[in-house]
Amino acid sequence: PEPGGGGARAGRHRRGAARAVGGGLGVPARGAGPGGSVRHPASGCGVVGLKPTDGLVPLRGVIPLATSLDHVGPIARSVADVAAALTAISGFDPADPTSIPAPSADYLAAIGRDVRGLRVGIPSNSFYQFGLPQALELVDLSRRTLERLGLQPLSLHLPRAGGHNSLCTRIIASDLCTS
């Protein structure tokens, strides 16, 4: 069983960072990978993980699997800790060709800011076809919570969402051949 996971496993992704944070051994930590290697282990260990926008966090020092899909993201015990870590690890790195040429923002300062009127896209097709009933109940609870906070949830149909895994496999294989 994973720390904080109630006996659940953190999935098939690398989960050492999430285990360390969930077990109180480290705050915060970084996760990396082309798939869900930040968010999945975090959710399985009862901590917070964030996959940032492409290029927001430099990839220098990361052993690449697929540079077009690789991400580095913070894992911590709270949203505030993730925001502070993201502030520290984001920013332009001229030695990283995937890095966005923009200064780091103060993400911690954004916590508590009024979110009324913001729109949040929620997939309405394949996401709901394959989810466990308990997970889908939590998604619906989250949607209602967002609405109470003044956000506007939007149902999005993601065309060809079912082919995502196949496409990612092809991208990773192509990136490995050119690395």
Side-chain angles (χ1 to χ4, degrees):
E2 306 295 346
R9 295 189 51 86
R12 59 185 169 82
H13 296 275
R14 295 171 290 253
R15 53 192 177 264
R19 282 181 174 169
V21 171
L25 300 175
V27 167
R30 291 186 321 163
S37 295
V38 175
R39 296 157 296 141
H40 294 183
S43 68
C45 293
V47 296
V48 180
L50 175 74
K51 178 181 180 179
T53 299
D54 253 346
L56 185 66
V57 176
L59 296 176
R60 191 192 314 208
V62 173
I63 298 172
L65 177 59
T67 53
S68 58
L69 298 174
D70 284 336
H71 280 77
V72 173
I75 298 172
R77 295 186 76 111
S78 70
V79 171
D81 288 345
V82 163
L86 184 61
T87 298
I89 66 174
S90 64
F92 180 61
D93 179 356
D96 178 359
T98 67
S99 186
I100 296 172
S104 181
D106 183 357
Y107 298 101
L108 193 56
I111 293 181
R113 193 173 67 193
D114 187 10
V115 294
R116 287 179 293 214
L118 293 178
R119 297 175 294 169
V120 178
I122 301 175
S124 62
N125 51 337
S126 66
F127 181 74
Y128 285 95
Q129 293 170 358
F130 303 109
L132 296 172
Q134 306 92 312
L136 297 178
E137 287 174 20
L138 291 173
V139 170
D140 288 334
L141 175 63
S142 298
R143 181 187 195 113
R144 291 191 303 273
T145 301
L146 294 172
E147 288 173 337
R148 271 198 326 274
L149 292 171
L151 283 94
Q152 300 171 9
L154 303 173
S155 291
L156 301 176
H157 177 78
L158 302 176
R160 298 179 298 278
H164 179 261
N165 286 342
S166 173
L167 180 61
C168 284
T169 301
R170 289 185 181 117
I171 291 171
I172 290 170
S174 172
D175 275 4
L176 284 173
C177 290
T178 60
S179 296

